[in-house]
Amino acid sequence: MIVDDSIYMRSLIKSAMEGAGFEVVGEAQNGESAIDLAVQLQPDLITLDNILPDMMGFEILKVLKDEEVPSKVIMVSAVGQQTVVNKGLSLGASEYIVKPFTEEDLLKVVEKVLA
Amino acid sequence: MIADLNDSELKVATKLIFDGLSMAKSSMEMILQSPISIEKIDYVSAELDMDRFGGPDQDVHLIKTDLLGERKGTSHLIFSEKEVAKLYDACLPEKIVKDNSKESMIMKLGFLTEIDNMVSAAVITEFSNFLNMEIYGNVPSLKVMKATELNDFIVKDSSEFESIIHFKAVFQGKELDICPDFIWVFHNKFIDKIKDLV
């Protein structure tokens, strides 16, 4: 499942994932629909942007933990300061990718997280 | 104002700005898959050169990102209409570039805002790490306006800050033949943080 406010970025990640044989089961462009969809679909993996129009990815991580959603989460964000990366990882994200990234970078991390 | 800094503070500030812009340049190169250089950094005037937009009635695309967190500020990344067309041709699939459906238009504009998102974030990350501050870029917004409206828009947009520091960078991508302007406006309190560090 892909969470990003940018349709361009969702499309880029979806294309990379589908090209590598993964099925994208859902997409969300804001935090509220991301939480609804994650609880409902319980996907194997969520790529999660950190700055969304209605909330931060960090808040979504906390809700997913409270709701006991078992999905692995990779944060994919342009926000790249080390303190932010560490905070994401401490809140339960498996990995943190800083934009811009290559398709190869993304898939390497996805495979590592799903291994 | 940046002119209020003494020599050693100014040295730190200009290095920080240069490092931030260098990160932004690298991000832009990666997104556009083409070499980009920093053509000019202007700490005095944020006024834009109207000639490069091809005339006062030409559309320009301004993408704005507001800072969230410990300090206030805003960035403006500005492309001419011709540059936008070149970016689309170079970076998006042909079927999207040639299609004028609502979905394709949303994708094209989403591409522009995502460039700004990553380029602005590169500067913000450098500033945040160096100044040890929690600052983030909000979701970017795109405005299309006439070239003649641009300078007034930026002046008005900056007026919400009580006192400001600003800098303007001109990037250049020779292969793509683009030279976007990148203007930053900060609340003067950024200066206090730099003074504290020196």
Side-chain angles (χ1 to χ4, degrees):
Chain A
M1 180 180 135
I2 301 165
V3 183
D4 201 303
D5 60 289
S6 163
I7 187 174
Y8 170 75
M9 191 49 66
R10 293 200 307 275
S11 163
L12 204 70
I13 296 173
K14 186 178 182 182
S15 166
M17 297 294 283
E18 290 182 341
F22 296 100
E23 183 190 358
V24 176
V25 293
E27 294 179 42
Q29 60 181 334
N30 59 51
E32 194 182 338
S33 51
I35 291 167
D36 287 347
L37 214 54
V39 170
Q40 181 197 328
L41 298 172
Q42 310 237 331
D44 295 326
L45 180 74
I46 300 170
T47 66
L48 177 63
D49 190 10
N50 199 13
I51 307 287
L52 295 163
D54 55 345
M55 65 178 80
M56 289 193 74
F58 294 152
E59 297 170 70
I60 298 174
L61 282 172
K62 287 178 190 167
V63 175
L64 296 182
K65 196 173 181 183
D66 290 346
E67 296 286 331
E68 297 182 343
V69 174
S71 312
K72 298 271 179 64
V73 177
I74 298 173
M75 296 202 79
V76 181
S77 174
V79 181
Q81 42 269 56
Q82 199 54 50
T83 51
V84 175
V85 174
N86 292 343
K87 188 173 177 181
L89 297 174
S90 71
L91 288 170
S94 299
E95 288 284 342
Y96 194 116
I97 300 175
V98 180
K99 299 175 187 173
F101 55 85
T102 64
E103 189 174 312
E104 195 185 6
D105 293 336
L106 173 70
L107 293 175
K108 204 181 282 181
V109 172
V110 167
E111 279 162 18
K112 182 182 162 196
V113 168
L114 291 178
Chain B
M1 302 281 288
I2 207 157
D4 295 337
L5 296 173
N6 65 33
D7 283 352
S8 51
E9 291 161 350
L10 188 62
K11 202 172 168 185
V12 171
T14 49
K15 182 181 182 310
L16 176 60
I17 290 168
F18 182 78
D19 288 350
L21 289 170
S22 298
M23 295 294 287
K25 173 194 102 79
S26 301
S27 285
M28 195 181 277
E29 281 177 334
M30 194 164 167
I31 306 159
L32 304 180
Q33 293 290 297
S34 184
I36 299 289
S37 59
I38 301 171
E39 188 67 11
K40 183 182 169 191
I41 304 174
D42 189 335
Y43 300 101
V44 180
S45 170
E47 194 147 315
L48 292 154
D49 172 13
M50 286 296 115
D51 291 344
R52 86 167 194 85
F53 298 112
D57 290 333
Q58 292 298 307
D59 282 342
V60 294
H61 293 241
L62 178 146
I63 311 126
K64 175 186 166 177
T65 295
D66 288 324
L67 282 185
L68 299 173
E70 286 184 49
R71 292 289 188 276
K72 300 287 179 208
T74 188
S75 75
H76 305 96
L77 183 64
I78 301 157
F79 295 104
S80 71
E81 185 72 2
K82 280 184 182 173
E83 286 169 342
V84 168
K86 287 172 190 169
L87 290 175
Y88 291 162
D89 284 341
C91 301
L92 294 177
E94 193 178 351
K95 65 174 185 180
I96 290 176
V97 177
K98 292 196 170 160
D99 183 15
N100 287 322
S101 68
K102 193 180 169 191
E103 290 75 19
S104 290
M105 290 309 292
I106 290 172
M107 183 68 79
K108 289 175 196 170
L109 299 180
F111 170 65
L112 286 184
T113 53
E114 200 55 31
I115 295 174
D116 176 72
N117 183 32
M118 294 184 229
V119 171
S120 301
V123 174
I124 293 166
T125 296
E126 195 66 23
F127 276 47
S128 173
N129 284 339
F130 187 83
L131 300 173
N132 195 24
M133 289 189 307
E134 276 207 26
I135 45 173
Y136 313 100
N138 203 350
V139 174
S141 59
L142 171 74
K143 295 180 196 315
V144 181
M145 63 186 79
K146 297 293 176 198
T148 44
E149 299 166 342
L150 201 49
N151 279 321
D152 284 347
F153 176 88
I154 290 167
V155 169
K156 195 177 169 197
D157 206 36
S158 310
S159 65
E160 67 174 280
F161 303 106
E162 287 164 14
S163 55
I164 61 165
I165 52 170
H166 65 255
F167 59 89
K168 180 184 77 173
V170 182
F171 288 128
Q172 187 169 58
K174 283 189 177 161
E175 277 182 11
L176 293 174
D177 190 24
I178 60 168
C179 52
D181 296 285
F182 194 33
I183 298 175
W184 280 87
V185 181
F186 296 104
H187 192 279
N188 222 13
K189 281 183 178 170
F190 266 95
I191 292 287
D192 298 338
K193 196 81 183 175
I194 291 169
K195 283 174 182 277
D196 288 345
L197 284 174
V198 177

